[in-house]
Amino acid sequence: MSMIILLVVMGGFMYFSMIRPQRKQQEQRKQMLNAMKKGDAIVTIGGLHGKIDEINEDKQTVVIDADGIFLTFNLSAIRTVDNGAATTPVAAAKPVDAPAASAAPEKDAPAADDKPYTEPTSNDDK
């Protein structure tokens, strides 16, 4: 009897620790892809940044404008979508407190290992 209870508890633990968060993540991704529209900035899974030029729901593709170069990707290749609503401009962001001046190294002083690179020489050529 205690073995059955242990198995039920283990099954419940696995559901709440692994399966449920994965389903929530899949639902968030689906909502993100459904909310995409022309002009949104995106990043692909390969790291390509661009703007959406066209979305084809039938073929499940998206055409991305990457600085004048138009590329077609599957919708599954989209990692993030930035529609501009959740971003804050860099100038409006709160500045990070800088460490004390004594803690920062001097930029003009060369480090001990800052020697110019020299090509190793071989005496085998003689």
Side-chain angles (χ1 to χ4, degrees), residues 60-76:
Q60 294 291 304
T61 60
V62 61
V63 177
I64 300 170
D65 178 6
D67 290 333
I69 300 170
F70 293 90
L71 303 167
T72 304
F73 286 93
N74 290 336
L75 284 176
S76 61

Side-chain angles (χ1 to χ4, degrees), residues 56-120:
N56 187 335
E57 295 289 336
D58 295 334
K59 293 182 181 179
Q60 294 291 304
T61 60
V62 61
V63 177
I64 300 170
D65 178 6
D67 290 333
I69 300 170
F70 293 90
L71 303 167
T72 304
F73 286 93
N74 290 336
L75 284 176
S76 61
I78 306 299
R79 180 174 49 194
T80 59
V81 177
D82 181 17
N83 57 11
T87 60
T88 56
V90 176
K94 183 178 178 183
V96 178
D97 293 334
S102 61
E106 291 186 30
K107 296 196 187 290
D108 295 335
D113 62 342
D114 282 350
K115 297 175 186 167
Y117 176 75
T118 57
E119 191 70 34

Side-chain angles (χ1 to χ4, degrees), residues 2-3 12 20 26 28 30 33 40 49 57 63 76 78 84 91 94 96-97 103 105-106 109:
S2 65
M3 189 64 134
R20 187 168 179 238
Q26 286 174 344
Q28 287 175 342
K30 187 176 179 181
L33 292 176
D40 286 350
H49 294 249
E57 295 289 336
V63 177
S76 61
I78 306 299
K94 183 178 178 183
V96 178
D97 293 334
E106 291 186 30

Side-chain angles (χ1 to χ4, degrees), residues 7-8 13 17 35 44-45 47-48 51 66 87 119 123:
L7 285 174
V8 169
F13 176 75
S17 66
T44 66
I45 56 175
L48 180 79
K51 291 193 181 217
T87 60
E119 191 70 34
N123 293 333

